[in-house]
Each structure stands twice: as structure tokens, then as C-alpha cells.
Amino acid sequence: MKIGLVPMSAKPYHRGHHYLVTTAAKQNDKVLLFVSTSDRNRKGEFPISGKDMQEIWIEHLESIMPSNSQIIYGGSPVRKVYEELERADASNSQDTYRVYSDPVDTSRNYPESYRQKNFLQHLLLQYVPP
């Protein structure tokens, strides 16, 4: 099975996010969307509450997601991707995983040596640009 992993803060969700999700849905049998529910407070920008964004997801966005997608709320989206890959690696999964994200985001907290050691032994990981 081909599984797409999409980590996102999506505050706010926009057309580029939707293109990424629909592309992942077309290229994979299953798509896991890891959506942040943390608040976004950046200097000079309007603050966005994670709780409010989750309500928007539930009330408006879930209904437009592709049928082969599953939304997982909470936690660090990038960390959730790594946890999913760790589970697959531990079970010797034969599935193929594609991570749909900016490589800077997915490598921000995890050096290449860590990713090589933990995730590339049994899995095919591909960066698929939006």
C-alpha cells in the first residue's frame, strides 16, 4: 500500500494546502493528515487559535477532504510523521511512504543522521514537491 503523510499547521488552510492534500490523495492509497492544534502567535501577524482552527477543520474542511484521507489532530505534525514511520519500521511494514512537506520543515528538529538511521532502513521515503 502507498501511504502519504502530510504534516501541516495550516493556520490558515489555503489553496496551496488543498493542492498538496489532493495531490497526495491521487498518488497514494491512503493519506494521513497530521494537523496542528497549537496556537499561532507571531509578531506582526494576527494570532490564530489552534482550538478555533480545529473547529474550522471539523465544521468546514473535513467535508472537502479526499475520501482516502484521515485527519489526525494534535501534537507536532512533523513528530507525528516520524512516529508513524517508526511504527512502520518496527513492524517491518512493506508499505511505501511518501512525505508531502517542505524538507526544511521535516528536518528542522531531526538531523539527517537521525533520519537515515531510523527511517530509511526498511522504508522508501520520497519528498514529493507541491
Side-chain angles (χ1 to χ4, degrees):
M1 177 182 290
K2 291 189 276 185
I3 301 172
L5 305 175
V6 184
M8 62 173 55
S9 289
K11 292 181 189 88
Y13 187 82
H14 55 69
R15 186 179 300 180
H17 292 122
H18 197 66
Y19 176 80
L20 188 67
V21 171
T22 56
T23 298
K26 289 176 188 173
Q27 295 177 349
N28 295 280
D29 302 308
K30 178 180 179 180
V31 176
L32 301 178
L33 301 171
F34 300 100
V35 178
S36 169
T37 56
S38 63
D39 296 339
R40 174 171 286 176
N41 293 306
R42 292 183 179 168
K43 187 176 180 176
E45 292 183 10
F46 189 79
I48 301 173
S49 157
K51 181 181 175 188
D52 290 344
M53 273 309 302
Q54 185 171 353
E55 288 179 24
I56 290 169
W57 271 89
I58 291 167
E59 294 175 15
H60 303 286
L61 298 174
E62 284 185 2
S63 65
I64 65 167
M65 293 298 119
S67 61
N68 64 338
S69 64
Q70 176 185 352
I71 302 167
I72 301 161
Y73 296 106
S76 163
V78 171
R79 181 67 202 145
K80 294 287 186 180
V81 165
Y82 285 119
E83 289 170 358
E84 182 66 27
L85 294 173
E86 286 170 346
R87 275 191 292 278
D89 193 35
S91 68
N92 292 317
S93 173
Q94 297 303 304
D95 295 332
T96 299
Y97 289 81
R98 290 180 172 177
V99 178
Y100 291 75
S101 180
D102 181 337
V104 173
D105 290 341
T106 54
S107 65
R108 185 173 293 146
N109 296 315
Y110 303 97
E112 181 65 23
S113 60
Y114 177 85
R115 290 182 288 146
Q116 289 286 335
K117 176 184 173 196
N118 292 292
F119 308 126
L120 298 178
Q121 293 174 3
H122 304 290
L123 304 171
L124 168 64
L125 299 180
Q126 299 175 329
Y127 166 66
V128 182

